[in-house]
Amino acid sequence: MDTASKPRSWLLIVDPSLKSLDGHSYHYDSAVARAATECFDQVRVYADRDFLRVAPPEFQVRTIPDSLLFRILRSAFARVFAPNRTADASGSFASDPISGGPESVSAWPTRLRTNLRARNTAASLRRILARLPSSPEDRVHVLFQYTDLCELI
């Protein structure tokens, strides 16, 4: 088998929490990507679209391709269910007019958000793989950072 047709190995690091060069996400992803260059032919990091595309030359950084609809839903969700509000001991937001009973603002929005993130994560992964310039013989490995298991199923 000639070297040009040899299957390549890819590592795709998908980290929606990677939004800046500061903090744990960038340093962790950077360390993993640098170490992975010894084991993989191609290493790519996929980050949040707010991430400044400044990366060490050892690996490539791309934004996670999420849908416009999901971005709109995420923005609306964040405005309606602001994270700075706190629940009482029962898990209910007493000052919130749509709150009430055990199925309060603390329970169903979390399930809705998780479901939407799961659908977006699956769709994003399909887009990433479809755009990847790999051949059927290549081995593609995906490392998800900051992703719940339920989002991958």
Side-chain angles (χ1 to χ4, degrees):
M1 177 182 263
D2 131 41
T3 341
S5 64
K6 178 184 171 198
R8 295 176 294 174
S9 61
W10 294 77
L11 176 62
L12 309 178
I13 301 169
V14 181
D15 187 353
S17 66
L18 180 55
K19 297 181 181 188
S20 73
L21 296 174
D22 300 324
H24 172 77
S25 290
Y26 174 73
H27 296 290
Y28 184 81
D29 293 338
S30 177
V32 170
R34 281 192 184 104
T37 57
E38 297 177 16
C39 304
F40 294 91
D41 299 320
Q42 298 286 325
V43 176
R44 286 192 182 171
V45 176
Y46 290 86
D48 184 89
R49 72 189 305 100
D50 292 337
F51 181 66
L52 301 172
R53 293 177 194 91
V54 179
E58 297 91 44
F59 62 94
Q60 304 169 31
V61 176
R62 304 257 197 289
T63 58
I64 297 171
D66 56 1
S67 73
L68 176 61
L69 175 62
F70 179 76
R71 288 194 305 267
I72 291 168
L73 287 172
R74 180 174 47 206
S75 174
F77 191 91
R79 272 184 254 144
V80 173
F81 304 105
N84 58 354
R85 296 189 311 187
T86 56
D88 62 16
S90 69
S92 174
F93 293 92
S95 63
D96 196 323
I98 61 171
S99 162
E103 195 63 25
S104 67
V105 168
S106 63
W108 69 264
T110 301
R111 286 197 306 275
L112 176 63
R113 186 182 126 273
T114 300
N115 189 321
L116 290 174
R117 280 189 64 205
R119 289 173 185 270
N120 188 58
T121 300
S124 295
L125 181 58
R126 284 192 297 274
R127 287 185 194 99
I128 289 169
L129 295 174
R131 296 175 185 170
L132 195 66
S134 62
S135 67
E137 296 82 28
D138 289 353
R139 294 173 312 221
V140 178
H141 304 265
V142 181
L143 171 63
F144 284 96
Q145 297 287 71
Y146 193 74
T147 302
D148 294 329
L149 181 61
C150 66
E151 295 177 3
L152 303 176
I153 299 174

